[in-house]
């Protein structure tokens, strides 16, 4: 690391990753946004899932001011966030075979829907099995992952495959193995993860693409407004009324 401040180094690293994602993933971002718009136009529903810190990006596109109202969180008890005690239990549950199938069997996901699955490594049983099962149900799957993990780590799913192998579209976050951008001679471990910054940006780019794609077809995108802006709650109430059968976080 150079003599510049660690904070500046992190911003530089994050900006470089964002630029790579913008330039190298442009085609996939466009395809993912179009897929979501196609799903909305055809009457389908939208879902997002991530385990642990990958759930942060999933939650960022659900019930979000300026976001698509139809994006629902596909929750798996014990793995969505780090609030489970102990937090390490969430990591253990990601490796449990059969959990994804049980969750999808009890979820509203069905043929014609779209599911965004976020997993930095893409190697654990839960995201791999979720992608496989969702596609078997007839849903379309968008995976957000770091493709590098597939060449530098071993899969933890019985099939030996990764999330990227079971998706209709893959968005590569470009995050290096270990998710830590900085090092210092005085610190024994690398630090400063950037996966949340990049993954959230990728997904918001996809959401923006989906909204514009719908508008291009003459379909008003079902967008939410901030409840902290005058008229926001009234606007959202109308969206909820119109699309209530495709919004599950209000039930």
């Amino acid at each position: 690391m150079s003599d510049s401040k660690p904070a500046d180094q992190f911003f530089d690293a994050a900006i470089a990753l964002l630029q790579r994602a913008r330039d190298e993933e442009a085609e996939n971002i466009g395809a993912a946004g179009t897929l979501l718009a196609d799903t909305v136009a055809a009457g389908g529903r939208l879902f997002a899932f991530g385990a642990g810190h990958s759930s942060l990006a999933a939650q960022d596109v659900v019930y979000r001011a300026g976001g698509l109202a139809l994006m629902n969180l596909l929750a798996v008890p014990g793995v969505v966030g780090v609030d489970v005690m102990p937090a390490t239990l969430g990591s253990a549950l990601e490796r449990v075979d059969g959990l994804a199938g049980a969750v999808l069997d009890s979820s509203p996901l069905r043929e014609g829907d779209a599911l965004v699955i976020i997993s930095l490594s893409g190697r654990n049983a839960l995201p791999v099995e979720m992608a496989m099962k969702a596609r078997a149900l007839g849903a379309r799957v968008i995976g957000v992952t770091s493709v590098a993990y597939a060449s530098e780590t071993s899969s933890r799913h019985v099939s030996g495959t990764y999330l990227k192998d079971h998706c209709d579209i893959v968005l590569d976050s470009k995050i290096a193995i270990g998710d830590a951008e900085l090092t210092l001679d005085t610190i024994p471990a690398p630090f400063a993860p950037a996966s949340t910054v990049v993954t959230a940006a990728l997904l918001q780019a996809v959401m923006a693409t989906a909204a514009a794609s719908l508008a291009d077809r003459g379909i008003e995108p079902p967008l939410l407004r901030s409840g902290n802006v005058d008229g926001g709650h009234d606007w959202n109430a109308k969206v909820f009324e119109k699309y209530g059968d495709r919004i599950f976080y209000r039930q």
Side-chain angles (χ1 to χ4, degrees):
M1 200 164 91
S2 71
D3 293 333
S4 60
K5 295 178 180 179
D8 292 337
Q9 286 285 336
F10 177 76
F11 276 114
D12 288 343
I15 290 168
L17 283 165
L18 288 170
Q19 289 176 329
R20 282 191 65 196
R22 179 192 63 189
D23 297 340
E24 298 174 20
E25 295 302 301
E27 183 177 348
N28 292 328
I29 290 169
T34 300
L35 188 156
L36 294 186
D38 290 344
T39 303
V40 172
R45 294 88 59 83
L46 310 179
F47 297 87
F49 167 78
H53 288 94
S54 290
S55 179
L56 296 175
Q59 294 180 54
D60 191 50
V61 294
V62 175
Y63 186 46
R64 192 70 164 86
L68 292 174
L70 305 192
M71 184 61 73
N72 300 278
L73 188 67
L74 187 63
V76 178
V79 306
V80 183
V82 293
D83 55 339
V84 61
M85 296 298 291
T88 51
L89 175 61
S91 298
L93 289 174
E94 287 187 69
R95 304 185 183 111
V96 174
D97 291 323
L99 179 57
V103 168
L104 290 181
D105 287 343
S106 302
S107 80
L109 187 80
R110 67 187 184 191
E111 182 177 1
D113 292 344
L115 171 61
V116 178
I117 301 177
I118 306 155
S119 174
L120 177 60
S121 72
R123 67 188 297 220
N124 289 311
L126 182 55
V128 173
E129 181 185 342
M130 184 168 288
M132 295 172 69
K133 297 289 186 181
R135 293 180 86 187
L137 288 172
R140 304 290 296 280
V141 175
I142 299 169
V144 188
T145 186
S146 172
V147 172
Y149 275 82
S151 60
E152 300 183 42
T153 67
S154 58
S155 171
R156 288 176 174 150
H157 188 256
V158 64
S159 67
T161 60
Y162 298 78
L163 170 62
K164 73 174 186 64
D165 299 317
H166 304 285
C167 300
D168 296 281
I169 299 168
V170 175
L171 299 175
D172 183 2
S173 64
K174 320 294 180 181
I175 299 295
I177 306 299
D179 192 16
E181 293 300 318
L182 305 184
T183 58
L184 273 177
D185 292 341
T186 54
I187 300 177
F191 58 102
S195 60
T196 303
V197 174
V198 178
T199 303
L202 279 169
L203 284 179
Q204 291 299 348
V206 170
M207 297 301 127
T209 302
S213 179
L214 286 167
D216 287 343
R217 308 175 198 196
I219 301 173
E220 181 179 331
L223 298 170
L224 295 174
R225 290 188 173 183
S226 172
N228 295 313
V229 173
D230 290 343
H233 287 300
D234 291 337
W235 171 279
N236 293 342
K238 293 178 181 178
V239 174
F240 291 149
E241 181 178 1
K242 182 175 181 179
Y243 293 98
D245 60 332
R246 291 195 263 174
I247 297 173
F248 299 95
Y249 50 81
R250 298 185 68 245
Q251 298 179 2

